[in-house]
Amino acid sequence: MRIGIIGKGRVGSALATGWRAAGHEVQLSGRDTTPGVADLANWADVIVLAVPYAALENIAATITVTDKPVIDCTNPIVMGPDGMGLAVGHTTSGAEQLQALLPGAHVVKTLNQVGAEVMADTTGFAHAPVQLLAGDNDAAKATVAALLSDLGLEALDAGGLSKARLLEPFALTWINQAIAQKHGRNWAFGAMPRAVQ
Ligand SMILES: NC(=O)c1ccc[n+]([C@@H]2O[C@H](COP(=O)([O-])OP(=O)(O)OC[C@H]3O[C@@H](n4cnc5c(N)ncnc54)[C@H](OP(=O)(O)O)[C@@H]3O)[C@@H](O)[C@H]2O)c1
């Protein structure tokens, strides 16, 4: 599969490493090659937005997407008087805003609830780290779920795109544990069904 990743930072690089290892064709584009972003979006079967939330509006204005999955890894985080908080939530989400900016795309919210280090390397866990995904198009979600599996993550369907309202604060839970609770970055959420009923 041709995967076009916009954003060459920690998340973009980690995902490129993982998906190339799984045999996918991956290209990245960043600010230094911003004229390439539109071409990258045309070339890709799946587009990944691994950029700051604040950059989404500009990027959406630069690309044209019709009937393709767009993975939204971003977290709409702002610094407030009490530290990090969400810029939006409860009645909408960053992912739904992105979908409105890209009406022809099938936005899937995922890869926002785990650190880049785990995206790049999922070995060493007793249980596959879980990654919830939310989106309104079932075919796009199936494609993205397979890409999550290729990274060694367990894909867990959270429902329609409005469930991004749950997944974006969930990411803050991960960040809070990693930073304020000092668990560091080398851990992930897992989903464990009971083996014996
Ligand atoms: N880091 C994590 O563990 C993690 C985990 C889950 C989700 N996330 C989310 O994933 C997103 C990326 O995080 P990150 O840690 O990878 O950030 P990062 O290391 O700062 O990388 C962001 C990248 O986006 C590029 N960029 C910014 N504006 C752009 C634009 N208009 N067009 C093209 N590229 C642009 C930056 O380019 P320059 O180098 O030129 O600035 C940089 O390469 C964020 O929304 C974050 O909340 C992060």
Side-chain angles (χ1 to χ4, degrees), residues 6-12 29-32 34 37 49-53 55 58-59 73-75 77 111-117 119 174 185:
I6 301 175
K8 299 195 286 189
R10 286 162 291 185
V11 170
S29 185
R31 257 201 299 218
D32 54 340
T34 296
V37 165
L49 295 177
V51 295
Y53 164 71
N58 274 345
I59 292 171
C73 307
T74 70
N75 282 310
I77 289 170
L111 288 168
N112 68 315
Q113 317 134 45
V114 71
E117 296 83 352
M119 296 180 197
W174 187 92
R185 303 182 54 84

Side-chain angles (χ1 to χ4, degrees), residues 15 20 26 33 38 40 46 52 56 65 69 74-75 95 118 132 145 155 183:
L15 293 175
R20 281 179 179 142
V26 180
T33 52
L40 186 81
V46 174
L56 287 182
V65 188
T74 70
N75 282 310
V118 175
L132 291 118
H183 283 282

Side-chain angles (χ1 to χ4, degrees), residues 43-162:
W43 166 84
D45 300 315
V46 174
I47 299 158
V48 182
L49 295 177
V51 295
Y53 164 71
L56 287 182
E57 198 169 343
N58 274 345
I59 292 171
T62 311
I63 63 177
T64 306
V65 188
T66 307
D67 203 23
K68 288 182 188 179
V70 173
I71 299 177
D72 173 19
C73 307
T74 70
N75 282 310
I77 289 170
V78 287
M79 291 303 290
D82 300 321
M84 267 184 205
L86 288 175
V88 292
H90 311 297
T91 57
T92 188
S93 60
E96 290 165 279
Q97 291 179 342
L98 178 65
Q99 182 67 76
L101 293 169
L102 291 174
H106 304 306
V107 173
V108 179
K109 186 86 201 188
T110 193
L111 288 168
N112 68 315
Q113 317 134 45
V114 71
E117 296 83 352
V118 175
M119 296 180 197
D121 177 9
T122 48
T123 60
F125 287 95
H127 188 280
V130 76
Q131 217 29 213
L132 291 118
L133 68 161
D136 289 334
N137 183 280
D138 287 343
K141 268 200 298 197
T143 299
V144 174
L147 291 175
L148 294 176
S149 299
D150 287 342
L151 295 173
L153 299 165
E154 179 182 353
L156 197 57
D157 189 355
L161 193 62
S162 65

